Amino acid sequence: SSNPPGRVPPLTPLQSRLAACATMGSDGDGSEKGFVAKMIAVLRGQALGLGQAALLAYLLIDIAVYAVLGLVVRSAFRRVQGQEPWQDPKAFVVAVAATWAGNNATRPFRLAG
């Protein structure tokens, strides 16, 4: 199922949703965009260029990193405190923050790979 030369293939459902989101929140014709809007447009363009498989692969890697870091934080907390982090609300917030910080610290390595 190839397209004739010069004809643009139809958008996938994901591409259609991302294209629709590009105009959300704009007050005018979109000719004057702020820095954040320009950056979002650039990131959407990169995501569309990579395709659904690359986005899914990144999300799966991100989920795996969160799971491993969550287990490491839980194990360390149990070893130091002698209880589960979710038994104390403050400790739970600290454990979630540590997992989030660890995930963000490793993000450049995952993006570069």
Side-chain angles (χ1 to χ4, degrees):
S1 71
S2 63
N3 291 322
R7 183 163 183 205
V8 178
L11 295 176
T12 66
L14 175 64
Q15 290 170 330
S16 297
R17 279 184 252 138
L18 287 172
C21 290
T23 59
M24 290 177 66
S26 64
D27 292 334
D29 60 359
S31 61
E32 297 180 18
K33 291 184 176 180
F35 176 74
V36 174
K38 288 179 183 177
M39 290 306 299
I40 290 173
V42 167
L43 292 174
R44 281 195 181 109
Q46 289 176 346
L48 288 174
L50 292 175
Q52 293 176 353
L55 182 60
L56 180 62
Y58 177 78
L59 290 174
L60 289 174
I61 291 169
D62 203 38
I63 289 168
V65 169
Y66 264 116
V68 169
L69 287 172
L71 290 173
V72 168
V73 168
R74 177 185 170 264
S75 297
F77 189 87
R78 281 188 63 200
R79 184 167 292 154
V80 171
Q81 298 292 330
Q83 66 179 9
E84 296 289 344
W86 46 81
Q87 291 176 332
D88 177 16
K90 289 180 183 177
F92 180 74
V93 170
V94 169
V96 170
T99 303
W100 177 81
N103 185 52
N104 285 326
T106 61
R107 181 164 288 147
F109 301 111
R110 289 181 277 134
L111 290 175

